[in-house]
Amino acid sequence: MKNLAHVTGSLFGPAMSESPTLSPADPFSSTLHYAKENMTLADLERVAELRHNLLERQTVYSYCASYYGKWYYVLTIPSIVITTAVSVLGAVWPYDGDAATAGRVTISLLGALATVITAMQALFRFQSRMDIFYNASSRVDGMVTRLRFLTKYRMGDKVSRNELQGIISGIEDKLNEVRTKVPPIPNSLWLAGCAEEDRLIEVRSRRAQFLTCPVGKSGSSSSLVSPVPDSMKAVESSRQPS
């Protein structure tokens, strides 16, 4: 991730003297606990940016897994059907009279087609790529979940800078490990995954606005549509394929 080193390397700055004010449309930042003498407004913004970057990468990995999985099933299901048909036709086709030649030709063509499909599966490795991206998406989801529970659902003690720094460093190490196992992502798939994340951002913003301002209290359904927070716009402008 392009901004990961920036986010983790400059996460902490000088202490601030007043409480930060973050966008209410961001459900992550609105419930983030902090220690005033330790955390800064820049710290909270960078943590929110890191979370959005992780969500984007998770969406891209998930989209790639779905893409390769679709092609894997497109090739696997016909291969199974053709191989089964060859076995059945070889057992029941009559090999006497004029039908014998037609049967041999049909079975040979189906067998050749099954061989070509199997070779394409081995060449493009759709199954292995699907599994790699699914595993990568699951690991990134674990990072997002850990960061969310640490900063949003923690009860009691506030989050200290040292504790958050340890979590951030662990996320960076795990993400670097994931990236060594993930094959290069084509630009077309990256852009398609980012477009999917754009739709998910809009859905998250509407849900957050709905939870904080129900229709019964706002009096208008148009209030469910909320603008994209500035932290999300910063992530949008820095997107580049890796």
Side-chain angles (χ1 to χ4, degrees):
M1 183 182 301
K2 179 181 178 181
N3 294 331
L4 183 61
H6 168 72
V7 173
T8 57
S10 59
L11 179 62
F12 304 107
M16 66 178 180
S17 58
E18 59 182 6
S19 301
T21 56
L22 298 178
S23 172
D26 189 351
F28 167 73
S29 59
S30 61
T31 56
L32 186 62
H33 298 285
Y34 64 93
K36 185 172 67 174
E37 65 276 7
N38 292 330
M39 302 291 287
T40 68
L41 177 60
D43 296 341
L44 304 183
E45 290 177 348
R46 293 188 181 104
V47 170
E49 181 183 354
L50 173 61
R51 180 173 177 268
H52 295 318
N53 287 336
L54 290 175
L55 285 172
E56 177 187 291
R57 186 163 292 274
Q58 178 194 0
T59 302
V60 172
Y61 286 163
S62 179
Y63 184 88
C64 292
S66 300
Y67 174 83
Y68 290 120
K70 178 188 67 177
W71 280 106
Y72 169 70
Y73 292 120
V74 164
L75 294 177
T76 300
I77 294 176
S79 177
I80 295 174
V81 173
I82 293 173
T83 304
T84 304
V86 169
S87 301
V88 173
L89 291 177
V92 302
W93 195 278
Y95 286 97
D96 53 350
D98 297 336
T101 302
R104 292 189 180 94
V105 171
T106 301
I107 293 175
S108 298
L109 291 177
L110 291 176
L113 182 58
T115 302
V116 170
I117 294 176
T118 303
M120 291 179 62
Q121 289 178 328
L123 178 63
F124 293 106
R125 298 181 300 169
F126 289 126
Q127 182 180 12
S128 61
R129 295 190 180 194
M130 175 188 68
D131 294 337
I132 289 173
F133 280 110
Y134 269 131
N135 292 334
S137 178
S138 299
R139 296 194 64 179
V140 175
D141 179 66
M143 302 175 198
V144 175
T145 301
R146 185 176 185 184
L147 192 61
R148 180 187 298 118
F149 271 86
L150 176 69
T151 55
K152 184 176 180 181
Y153 299 113
R154 173 71 67 87
M155 297 183 181
D157 296 336
K158 297 178 180 179
V159 179
S160 64
R161 299 178 75 195
N162 292 334
E163 182 180 7
L164 191 57
Q165 177 65 70
I167 298 296
I168 297 293
S169 299
I171 289 176
E172 182 179 12
D173 294 338
K174 291 180 180 178
L175 188 58
N176 289 333
E177 180 182 355
V178 168
R179 295 183 63 181
T180 59
K181 298 179 181 179
V182 172
I185 303 175
N187 291 339
S188 57
L189 288 183
W190 182 274
L191 293 176
C194 290
E196 181 68 19
E197 175 62 17
D198 291 339
R199 291 189 287 269
L200 292 177
I201 287 176
E202 183 179 358
V203 171
R204 295 189 194 106
S205 299
R206 290 181 178 179
R207 285 176 57 85
Q209 186 70 14
F210 176 79
L211 293 176
T212 57
C213 185
V215 179
K217 295 182 179 180
S218 63
S220 175
S221 59
S222 61
S223 62
L224 298 182
V225 181
S226 60
V228 179
D230 293 338
S231 58
M232 293 184 182
K233 294 180 180 179
V235 175
E236 293 285 334
S237 61
S238 62
R239 283 178 175 168
Q240 286 187 0
S242 61

